[in-house]
Amino acid sequence: MTGRHSERDASLKIPFRTTEDIPRSSGSVASAMAAPAVIALLFVLWSCGDPSDYPGEDEEAPARASLSNDPIWAVGGADGPEAQVFSRISGARRLSDGSIVVGVAGFHEIRKFGPDTTHRWTVGRRGEGPGEFERLRLLRGCSEERIVVYDRSIFRVTEFSQDGERLAAWQLPSGASVPYEVTCAPDGRVIYFAAGQFPAETGIVRWHVPISWISRGMQAAQLIRDEVPGPERVLDDGYWDRPWSRQLVLGGTDQGVWIGTGDDYMLELVGWDGTVLDTLEWSGRDRAVTPADIEQLQDEFTEGHDEAARVRFLREDWPDYERVLPSSVPAYSHLLILDDGTLWIGEWDGIMWLPRLPGHPGKRWNVFDPSGKRVRQVTIPSNMRLLDAGDNWVLVVVRDSLGVETLAVYELSWGPD
């Protein structure tokens, strides 16, 4: 079926199955990033508060799910076996037998652990040769059989068997079409949008980018849609992220790709030939920026500062941010599509490179079933980052106050409908 779909129209059924960083240049405003960058290195991540305290509560929200108090599976820590020491986990996937594969960007490795947490194998090292990586990211949703890894430095896709055997390696386009954000479809297609050229004008800008797909063995990528609103940036002497920037999210399915710009509570399912197959809409919080939002942003920038440093930041650096603040916050910032066609849409929750404050409720995810009905909300605590999920579990990376990473699976307890 093709057409606009609202979650409030239960008679409509959608037959679907289901940002990366750019280095900042120097500049007058970019120099103001130094203080928050230091904060990011020293931040303390806080546990989840009561989700009902979340500002701008969605009155039509469905029942919520909560995480179990303790994980049902966990590996990692500052001490212990070498295979369980992590640095910059860049992706992970839970396989059908309960084992877990994880990409460890800091060590340029892919590791697999069994359902009992036993280390099974490790592949990879730093470099550009076969089976080597510079900036790896483990992709999920590409194939049930193969483990797919993307190297953002050399634009190469490497495919492994579940036993760690390297099966294939192939290149994504580079040059003027360097991939910026990459995801997968279940049939192995790699979907991406290219960074392209910066706009000529300075100030607040938003790229309009092409979305394309390519598979192993193809000589050229196929365009899905052109001139899609992409990331927002501020350009002056250099370039940097606009606070509360809208981001483009992608999610592959059997039929095509879900595309969302963060401008409203809506996604479009676009077929491989560019045809709009369906749209998905839902309700959400009032997105208008309030004085409380601004005050919280100032607090996040200055968390851990003494009063003198806070006053200095507000006097010297804050005006550069204030002049580029949007009038509304993004509708969402992340998209995760499960193997059974369930969509997890992550609500906007602030600036990801700033620390969350004590009492911050965490990141809230709206869960839509394959018919397009919003069925649950799940709040992931602020010291966790969601990597994979199922009907009754989530796979997360947990950071403690010293930045030590643990990979963990938590059970979900669903509330009443």
Side-chain angles (χ1 to χ4, degrees), residues 67-225:
L67 277 62
S68 55
N69 291 329
D70 298 309
I72 59 173
W73 185 102
V75 295
D79 302 315
E82 182 178 334
Q84 295 197 22
V85 177
F86 299 119
S87 172
R88 293 189 288 120
I89 291 176
S90 64
R93 172 184 166 197
R94 193 183 194 199
L95 305 180
S96 58
D97 66 355
S99 60
I100 290 177
V101 181
V102 55
V104 188
F107 294 125
H108 313 279
E109 294 176 346
I110 308 299
R111 303 175 190 170
K112 183 176 182 179
F113 298 89
D116 60 354
T117 72
T118 301
H119 175 245
R120 296 287 180 82
W121 50 256
T122 293
V123 298
R125 62 182 181 183
R126 186 168 190 176
E128 298 184 0
E132 298 177 337
F133 308 102
E134 288 290 339
R135 298 173 69 199
L136 71 84
R137 177 184 169 196
L138 188 141
L139 303 179
R140 60 164 311 284
C142 307
S143 166
E144 291 186 6
E145 295 80 23
R146 297 193 173 197
I147 297 162
V148 182
V149 182
Y150 177 60
D151 191 318
R152 296 174 50 218
S153 285
I154 56 178
F155 318 114
R156 184 175 65 197
V157 176
T158 305
E159 302 178 14
F160 296 90
S161 72
Q162 293 192 15
D163 293 325
E165 177 187 1
R166 184 165 51 88
L167 301 175
W170 47 284
Q171 294 291 136
L172 267 59
S174 55
S177 300
V178 170
Y180 180 74
E181 178 69 35
V182 173
T183 190
C184 277
D187 64 1
R189 303 186 207 213
V190 173
I191 308 156
Y192 68 94
F193 67 87
Q197 299 295 319
F198 284 115
E201 70 274 16
T202 59
I204 301 169
V205 298
R206 191 171 193 183
W207 297 320
H208 283 70
V209 301
I211 299 175
S212 304
W213 68 269
I214 191 170
S215 291
R216 176 174 14 99
M218 292 177 57
Q219 297 301 311
Q222 299 295 307
L223 181 69
I224 299 174
R225 176 178 286 183

Side-chain angles (χ1 to χ4, degrees), residues 240-293:
W240 49 287
D241 291 344
R242 184 187 192 189
W244 303 332
S245 170
R246 291 168 291 179
Q247 304 288 338
L248 177 60
V249 300
L250 306 174
T253 75
D254 286 337
Q255 292 80 34
V257 55
W258 284 103
I259 300 174
T261 63
D263 293 287
D264 45 35
Y265 293 106
M266 185 180 77
L267 296 175
E268 285 187 315
L269 178 59
V270 180
W272 304 118
D273 61 355
T275 303
V276 177
L277 303 179
D278 273 297
T279 59
L280 178 67
E281 295 181 276
W282 66 99
S283 62
R285 60 162 284 189
D286 184 350
R287 295 171 47 231
V289 171
T290 67
D293 291 323

Side-chain angles (χ1 to χ4, degrees), residues 16-18 93-96 140-144 186 252 254 336-343 370 388-390 393:
F16 64 76
R17 232 193 77 85
T18 197
R93 172 184 166 197
R94 193 183 194 199
L95 305 180
S96 58
R140 60 164 311 284
C142 307
S143 166
E144 291 186 6
D254 286 337
L336 180 70
I337 301 181
L338 307 189
D339 294 339
D340 66 355
T342 300
L343 275 78
D388 200 359
W393 58 269

Side-chain angles (χ1 to χ4, degrees), residues 47-49 51 64-72 344 361-365 367 377-398 408-415:
S47 61
C48 177
R64 299 188 180 93
S66 57
L67 277 62
S68 55
N69 291 329
D70 298 309
I72 59 173
W344 286 52
K363 187 175 188 66
R364 204 160 51 180
W365 292 76
V367 181
Q377 279 187 338
V378 180
T379 298
I380 303 297
S382 292
N383 64 330
M384 302 181 186
R385 176 165 52 93
L386 181 66
L387 301 176
D388 200 359
D391 182 60
N392 59 1
W393 58 269
V394 291
L395 171 62
V396 298
V397 55
V398 186
V409 176
Y410 284 82
E411 285 186 317
L412 292 177
S413 173
W414 299 106

